[in-house]
């Protein structure tokens, strides 16, 4: 392969990435990046940090939307991938088995409640959710699916039909029939739907990623009781909250749940290789894959992918060896300690919340001097949060995100390898940024107008 080197290619096209991305992938995305000043080309990642072309280091609190629990370019996972490549593994045989997929399935099930006994691999989170919906329908002989308002489960058509956010669903209809939503936390509405005994699956995130909303006390436990009572399968979507993110391997462990279906993805391969998995009860599996004729009822060409399996096994090993799950609990507590005082300090800070390293700060109209806040929010709901995210990036070299369209919430999903010092860096920068943003300087109003036009 003397003629082709990735590094030569990258250096020969240095400085072109953003324009080329716009021309070949998505010009509107590039417009957004330029408007908010996020149009850097990233050239290196390590742990919780990113480096741009100029060699400036940033603290990454987006974490690839939560796919780098073990940190970017984790050395153990990378070594496993290099080794797997050097082993000349067979790759997908399709009509045959190979060693790694059942080993990763076994490793995942070992960490799950006894009720979960089978694994179906996919290549993404949305595909794992799609599998839950399809298999749930076949296993129950029912067609309806209930999900929660503002839930996010992916953007392919089945997952999208369960999505509770019009900014994702509008323009893509008609969505799948039989999908309905109830309020997150509304047990009465849930029971009203389940009582009809035609609901195959209740699909819910244990902590809603959009806005980082934690479940009300007792909600998930009671939802499970209702599901069992009315013969509905409980699907807890752990795509974002799983793999140690909240200080437990699965977030549902905080509430002692035993779901029937559990999609995971994102961090499962250390962020290196597309991967997803649906953990399910044997009862569900056996009702769908009930004969040799039905042995191929669901699957996809690339899943299970052997590199994803090798990376997945190394990721689980790393989570254990480096104590990252317990570490996430400790760091999460520290992050709340550092940021909770902001609620007292600033009228515009309504709430700081989180579990483990799934964290958010929510803004709201201040009690006094409301005019500026109202002006900004009238231009675009949730815009105030951009007033925080942009200076965090430009002035403090911290990459964070608004937690959903029109949401006045800034969110963090850092790598679980983040340090105590990083959290102090973030808390200090946040304090300074909110103090400035609360005053909404004149210059910011100009930014608001520009940002409002990019919608
Ligand atoms: C809770 C949840 N479910 C499903 C998905 C979809 O995963 P993917 O983007 O891998 O399709 C996401 C992605 O953010 C998610 O947060």
């Amino acid at each position: 392969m003397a003629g082709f080197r990735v590094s030569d290619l990258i250096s020969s096209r240095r400085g072109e990435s953003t324009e080329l991305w716009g021309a070949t992938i998505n010009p509107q995305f590039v417009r957004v990046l330029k408007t908010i000043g996020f149009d850097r080309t990233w050239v290196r990642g390590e742990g919780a940090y990113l480096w741009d072309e100029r060699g400036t280091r940033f603290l990454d609190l987006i974490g690839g939307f939560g796919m780098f629990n073990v940190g970017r370019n984790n050395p153990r996972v990378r070594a496993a991938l290099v080794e797997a490549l050097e082993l000349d593994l067979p790759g997908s045989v399709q009509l045959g088995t190979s060693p790694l997929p059942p080993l990763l399935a076994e490793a995942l099930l070992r960490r799950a409640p006894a009720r979960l006994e089978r694994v179906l691999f996919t290549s993404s989170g949305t595909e794992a959710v799609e599998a839950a919906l399809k298999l749930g329908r076949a296993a129950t002989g029912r067609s309806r699916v209930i999900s929660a308002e503002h839930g996010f489960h992916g953007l392919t058509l089945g997952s999208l039909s369960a999505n509770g956010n019009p900014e994702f669903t509008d323009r893509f209809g008609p969505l799948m029939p039989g999908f309905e939503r109830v309020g997150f936390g509304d047990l009465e509405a849930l029971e009203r739907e389940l009582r009809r005994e035609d609901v195959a699956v209740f699909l819910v995130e244990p902590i809603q990623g959009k806005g980082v909303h934690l479940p009300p006390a007792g909600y998930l436990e009671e939802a499970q009781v209702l599901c069992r009572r009315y013969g509905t399968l409980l699907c807890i979507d752990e795509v974002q909250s799983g793999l140690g993110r909240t200080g437990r391997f699965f977030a549902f462990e905080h509430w002692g749940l035993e779901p029937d279906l559990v999609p995971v993805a994102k961090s499962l391969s250390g962020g290196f290789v597309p991967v997803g998995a649906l953990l399910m009860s044997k009862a569900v599996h056996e009702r769908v894959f009930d004969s040799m004729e039905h042995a191929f009822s669901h699957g996809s060409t690339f899943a299970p992918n052997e590199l994803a399996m090798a990376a997945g096994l190394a990721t689980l090993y790393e989570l254990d060896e480096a104590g990252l799950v317990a570490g996430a609990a400790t760091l999460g507590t520290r992050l709340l300690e550092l940021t909770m005082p902001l609620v007292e300090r600033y009228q515009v800070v309504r709430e700081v919340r989180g579990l483990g390293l799934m964290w958010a700060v929510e803004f709201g109209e201040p009690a006094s001097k409301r005019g500026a806040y109202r002006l900004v929010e009238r231009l675009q709901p949730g815009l105030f949060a951009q007033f925080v995210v942009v200076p965090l990036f430009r002035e403090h070299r911290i990459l964070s995100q608004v937690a959903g369209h029109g949401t006045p919430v800034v969110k963090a999903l850092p790598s679980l390898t983040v340090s105590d010092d990083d959290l102090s860096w973030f808390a200090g920068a946040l304090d300074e940024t909110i103090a400035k943003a609360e005053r909404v300087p004149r210059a910011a109003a100009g930014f608001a107008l520009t940002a409002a036009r990019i919608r």
Side-chain angles (χ1 to χ4, degrees):
M1 281 288 285
F4 179 82
R5 283 177 58 86
V6 176
S7 51
D8 289 347
L9 187 60
I10 290 174
S11 50
S12 71
R13 305 293 297 270
R14 198 180 144 88
E16 286 182 44
S17 300
T18 305
E19 296 311 319
L20 193 57
W21 192 291
T24 58
I25 300 177
N26 186 347
Q28 298 299 349
F29 173 65
V30 169
R31 274 183 78 202
V32 172
L33 292 182
K34 285 185 174 171
T35 304
I36 60 176
F38 276 43
D39 53 328
R40 312 221 167 193
T41 299
W42 302 102
V43 294
R44 192 161 90 79
E46 188 186 310
Y49 313 109
L50 282 165
W51 282 262
D52 68 9
E53 265 183 332
R54 286 174 238 157
T56 309
R57 186 180 74 138
F58 284 69
L59 175 61
D60 172 24
L61 299 184
I62 301 181
F65 294 147
M67 66 191 263
F68 291 105
N69 287 11
V70 297
R72 285 178 195 266
N73 284 314
N74 180 284
R76 267 204 193 108
V77 182
R78 188 175 47 195
L81 280 169
V82 170
E83 194 200 352
L85 284 170
E86 285 171 349
L87 282 172
D88 287 333
L89 292 169
S92 289
V93 177
Q94 311 297 8
L95 268 180
T97 68
S98 56
L100 295 179
L103 289 173
L104 180 57
E106 180 188 60
L108 282 168
L109 295 173
R110 208 185 302 130
R111 290 160 170 82
R115 189 178 184 87
L116 299 167
E117 293 187 76
R118 297 267 162 86
V119 178
L120 182 144
F121 286 108
T122 67
S123 303
S124 68
T126 195
E127 285 173 82
V129 172
E130 295 278 348
L133 300 177
K134 269 184 70 179
L135 272 50
R137 279 182 162 179
T140 58
R142 300 174 175 187
S143 62
R144 291 178 73 222
V145 172
I146 302 296
S147 57
E149 299 288 356
H150 305 299
F152 186 94
H153 302 284
L155 296 178
T156 52
L157 215 43
S159 307
L160 189 69
S161 301
N163 193 311
N165 305 293
E167 69 272 19
F168 288 113
T169 54
D170 284 358
R171 304 192 299 141
F172 299 106
L175 299 177
M176 304 248 302
F179 282 67
E180 240 108 19
R181 276 167 300 284
V182 294
F184 184 64
D186 188 344
L187 286 165
E188 264 176 48
L190 179 63
E191 183 160 19
R192 223 170 17 248
E193 297 296 338
L194 299 191
R195 207 185 284 129
R196 289 165 54 179
E197 301 202 349
D198 60 356
V199 176
V201 176
F202 174 48
L203 169 63
V204 68
E205 296 155 273
I207 300 171
Q208 289 197 312
K210 180 178 169 164
V212 185
H213 292 290
L214 283 109
Y219 170 60
L220 292 172
E221 298 91 316
E222 187 55 26
Q224 176 170 294
V225 170
L226 293 176
C227 284
R228 300 275 196 272
R229 184 178 304 154
Y230 297 112
T232 294
L233 299 172
L234 176 63
C235 180
I236 299 285
D237 184 343
E238 292 273 357
V239 169
Q240 187 166 136
S241 55
L243 285 297
R245 165 68 47 202
T246 69
R248 300 285 181 93
F249 187 78
F250 295 107
F252 66 65
E253 292 170 33
H254 291 285
W255 302 280
L257 304 176
E258 296 210 9
D260 306 284
L261 297 159
V262 179
V264 293
K266 290 197 190 271
S267 282
L268 179 56
S269 67
F272 282 97
V273 190
V275 70
L278 175 67
L279 280 62
M280 71 191 106
S281 68
K282 198 163 155 188
V284 168
H285 195 272
E286 288 190 341
R287 273 184 237 138
V288 184
F289 297 89
D290 58 353
S291 61
M292 283 202 275
E293 194 189 344
H294 291 157
F296 299 93
S297 289
H298 191 68
S300 120
T301 306
F302 257 95
N305 170 272
E306 272 189 329
L307 291 180
M309 300 298 107
L313 284 156
T315 297
L316 297 185
Y317 182 83
E318 177 70 353
L319 285 169
D320 290 347
E321 281 297 298
L324 293 177
V325 182
T330 313
L331 289 163
T333 306
R334 179 81 188 122
L335 183 54
L336 286 177
E337 274 167 15
L338 288 166
T339 51
M340 281 287 194
L342 299 174
V343 180
E344 296 303 316
R345 207 168 299 152
Y346 300 104
Q347 285 187 19
V348 78
V349 177
R350 188 149 290 172
E351 192 180 32
V352 169
R353 54 181 177 258
L355 190 60
L357 287 174
M358 198 165 174
W359 174 98
V361 54
E362 178 162 347
F363 304 104
E365 195 173 286
S368 60
K369 296 191 205 140
R370 303 173 185 163
Y373 187 90
R374 275 197 195 154
L375 169 79
V376 167
E377 290 294 306
R378 211 177 301 131
L379 283 168
Q380 185 179 325
L383 189 58
F384 184 84
Q386 289 289 8
F387 283 12
V388 174
V389 165
V390 171
L392 275 178
F393 182 76
R394 289 187 185 170
E395 289 157 32
H396 299 277
R397 305 181 324 280
I398 294 174
L399 191 62
S400 63
Q401 66 170 121
V402 177
H405 183 84
T407 314
V409 177
V410 173
K411 167 177 176 182
L413 293 174
S415 152
L416 312 187
T417 64
V418 76
S419 71
D420 230 59
D421 286 350
D422 294 331
L423 297 183
S424 300
W425 169 8
F426 170 52
L430 188 63
D431 194 346
E432 205 181 307
T433 305
I434 294 172
K436 282 193 197 161
E438 201 181 37
R439 282 182 249 125
V440 191
R442 236 169 246 289
F447 164 75
L449 285 166
T450 322
R453 279 198 295 270
I454 63 170
R455 271 184 297 166

